[in-house]
Amino acid sequence: MDNQDNSIQIQELQKTNRILRKKLERCEAERRQLETDIATKEFLLKKVICELEDSRTDLQQRGQELENTLNSLHNMQAQMIQSEKMSALGQMVAGIAHEINNPVSFIYGNLSYISQYTHDLLRLVELYHRYFPNPPAEIQTERKTIDLEFLEKDAIMVLDSMNIGTERIRDIVLSLRNFSRLDESEFKAVDIHEGIDNTLMILQHRLKATDKNPEIQVIRDYSNLSKVKCYAGQINQVFMNILVNALDALEEFNTKRTYQEIQLNPSGITIRTSVVDSQWVKIAIADNGSGIPESIQKQIFNPFFTTKPVGKGTGMGMAISYQIITEKHGGKLEFFSTPGKGTEFVVQIPIQQQVCKVI
């Protein structure tokens, strides 16, 4: 009986063992399947993460490209507006110069005749004095009233002053016409020194002495330069921008000094020209102001950067000057500044170059 019971128990144990073994095999298969699924999902997850990172990088690059494009369009728009303003200003200056030139030329041309007529009349009056020393009482009274002796001397001086004044106006008008250079939209061989002198003539009012500041000295150290092929109007614009900035720097520096200190160390601008390697013309314009702080020196040629008060500066002058020299003339524009000692801008352009299309 016991043997029979043991046999039954063994069969039941074997059956249970088979069942457990099948369950174990099934669990093992499920575990392997689960590991496979997990590995697959991990792979897919890593792939999605990589794609997301690539997309994010691509989006960042596209965003940066769009931002750069927007900034470039913004700068281009501002430069076009500034160029249009300068073109309009040049046309206005040329028009004003033309309108002033006509009446001034008329006055200047007739001054010689007026001078001759005045001398003739005074000579005739002198003859009357000689041959009629005792004129009627009415004439003697009128002579005293108009102070004839003073009138005879002052009339000549007035005419001389008018002659000097009209010559000065003619020089200014000529400088304005040469500065605008509207008739020179293509490359043309020009005298660089004439362009600098014309610019200084236009800025003469800022160089003169005032109640607060002595005269700003300008030292011209010109070398013997041949004519340079360039866009004359644009080069004059560069000279204007650099010189105006130098004058602004000197005026700001002088506000921190007394009149006596300025007299002991006068404000000045030095302009030097030279030829480099027989292929380049170099124009250096230096001032002895306070210099440019090192913290902003890298931003000087950036569009819209300015240290001037709102409404006084657009921040485009040096950016456009840099573009004119480097892009349109294939030259170089750089500066050297020592805080407390001053700043020097150096322009270098080829004497001969290929014609570039003006944008």
Side-chain angles (χ1 to χ4, degrees), residues 18-32:
R18 286 195 299 272
I19 293 171
L20 291 173
R21 188 170 291 174
K22 287 182 180 179
K23 288 184 177 179
L24 180 62
E25 289 175 354
R26 190 163 56 248
C27 288
E28 184 67 23
E30 290 176 353
R31 183 186 66 80
R32 287 196 295 269

Side-chain angles (χ1 to χ4, degrees), residues 107-282:
I107 294 170
Y108 183 79
N110 284 291
L111 274 177
S112 59
Y113 298 111
I114 292 293
S115 179
Q116 184 62 46
Y117 299 159
T118 302
H119 281 87
D120 292 343
L121 288 172
L122 291 176
R123 195 164 52 251
L124 180 61
V125 170
E126 178 62 28
L127 289 173
Y128 271 106
H129 290 174
R130 186 183 307 170
Y131 292 104
F132 300 96
N134 298 310
E138 186 179 353
I139 295 178
Q140 292 185 20
T141 301
E142 187 64 23
R143 283 182 59 180
K144 291 180 180 179
T145 301
I146 67 174
D147 195 354
L148 184 60
E149 288 73 15
F150 170 78
L151 189 149
E152 290 174 343
K153 296 177 182 178
D154 195 53
I156 302 302
M157 295 176 62
V158 168
L159 287 171
D160 289 342
S161 297
M162 290 176 65
N163 193 57
I164 294 172
T166 51
E167 286 183 352
R168 172 73 174 163
I169 294 173
R170 292 184 71 201
D171 290 341
I172 293 174
V173 168
L174 180 61
S175 296
L176 289 171
R177 295 178 67 180
N178 289 337
F179 179 82
S180 61
R181 298 278 190 176
L182 290 179
D183 57 334
E184 297 176 13
S185 59
E186 299 297 331
F187 270 110
K188 184 177 180 180
V190 298
D191 185 347
I192 290 294
H193 295 155
E194 184 183 70
I196 297 172
D197 291 340
N198 289 332
T199 306
L200 289 171
M201 174 73 76
I202 295 171
L203 294 173
Q204 192 66 36
H205 66 286
R206 297 192 60 181
L207 299 171
K208 292 180 178 179
T210 64
D211 295 338
K212 297 180 179 180
N213 298 316
E215 180 183 2
I216 294 176
Q217 301 175 356
V218 177
I219 299 174
R220 297 175 175 88
D221 184 7
Y222 291 167
S223 297
N224 185 19
L225 300 183
S226 57
K227 289 190 174 183
V228 178
K229 283 193 173 182
C230 62
Y231 295 108
Q234 294 182 10
I235 292 296
N236 289 344
Q237 183 183 346
V238 172
F239 295 153
M240 177 67 79
N241 290 336
I242 294 175
L243 286 168
V244 166
N245 281 349
L247 290 169
D248 289 342
L250 291 172
E251 288 178 1
E252 182 182 356
F253 183 48
N254 286 342
T255 59
K256 304 172 185 177
R257 302 194 294 167
T258 65
Y259 195 91
Q260 290 72 24
E261 288 175 333
I262 299 173
Q263 284 184 315
L264 291 174
N265 183 23
S267 297
I269 295 175
T270 302
I271 305 173
R272 295 185 175 89
T273 61
S274 58
V275 177
V276 180
D277 298 331
S278 72
Q279 301 294 324
W280 297 73
V281 166
K282 177 179 177 182

